Amino acid sequence: MEIRQETDIKVQIRKTLFEIEQQKRTRVQRFLLEIGLTPGQGQARILSSLAAAGNVTQRELADACLMDVTTMSRTLDRLEEKGLIRRERDPQSRRAYRVGLTDAGRETAEKVDAGFAELEQILCGGMTDGELLALAGSLRKIRGNLKE
């Protein structure tokens, strides 16, 4: 069976986006394992969000991280077991908890942010500001198309 060369630009874009995601995922997984986080559970995103926002409710954190509340709760359990976050009752709501970083969590969040900054440098290497602006606009359009 002969594999034909794809010439359709839309097919090339789809395949390129897939390859980029696979390569990015491999790098991120390796990095997360090195700093003691479990890939694919949103732990890095949670720590980074908490570092930026401070103490927030679980609901606010789930919304900020684009995660459902159940997944968020399980992931917070794991982060709490690792000593990276703490949950305390929200004094303004008997049913809600506020989530914050521990000292170890702040250190890990700094590593996460540094690792993602390095990834961004790799992703954008050799591109001009104009190319980056055009790419960002095109990617936003693709994201919007997928939301429809």
Side-chain angles (χ1 to χ4, degrees), residues 31-67:
F31 163 70
L32 293 178
L33 289 170
E34 286 173 7
I35 64 170
L37 297 178
T38 305
Q41 294 185 356
Q43 293 177 350
R45 198 172 12 175
I46 290 168
L47 294 175
S48 186
S49 292
L50 287 172
N55 290 353
V56 295
T57 65
Q58 284 185 206
R59 171 43 109 192
E60 291 168 332
L61 187 57
D63 291 345
C65 293
L66 305 175
M67 296 173 72

Side-chain angles (χ1 to χ4, degrees), residues 46-48 50-52 54-55 84-86 99-106 109:
I46 290 168
L47 294 175
S48 186
L50 287 172
N55 290 353
L84 300 177
I85 61 124
R86 66 183 179 302
V99 183
L101 293 173
T102 62
D103 290 341
R106 269 187 283 289

Side-chain angles (χ1 to χ4, degrees), residues 41-42 46 57-79 87 99:
Q41 294 185 356
I46 290 168
T57 65
Q58 284 185 206
R59 171 43 109 192
E60 291 168 332
L61 187 57
D63 291 345
C65 293
L66 305 175
M67 296 173 72
D68 68 82
V69 178
T70 304
T71 302
M72 173 63 67
S73 183
R74 282 192 300 249
T75 304
L76 291 176
D77 288 343
R78 290 183 189 98
L79 291 172
R87 286 188 267 198
V99 183

Side-chain angles (χ1 to χ4, degrees), residues 115-129:
F116 285 149
E118 183 179 324
L119 177 63
E120 290 159 6
Q121 289 299 313
I122 292 167
L123 289 172
C124 300
M127 298 178 77
T128 67
D129 288 345

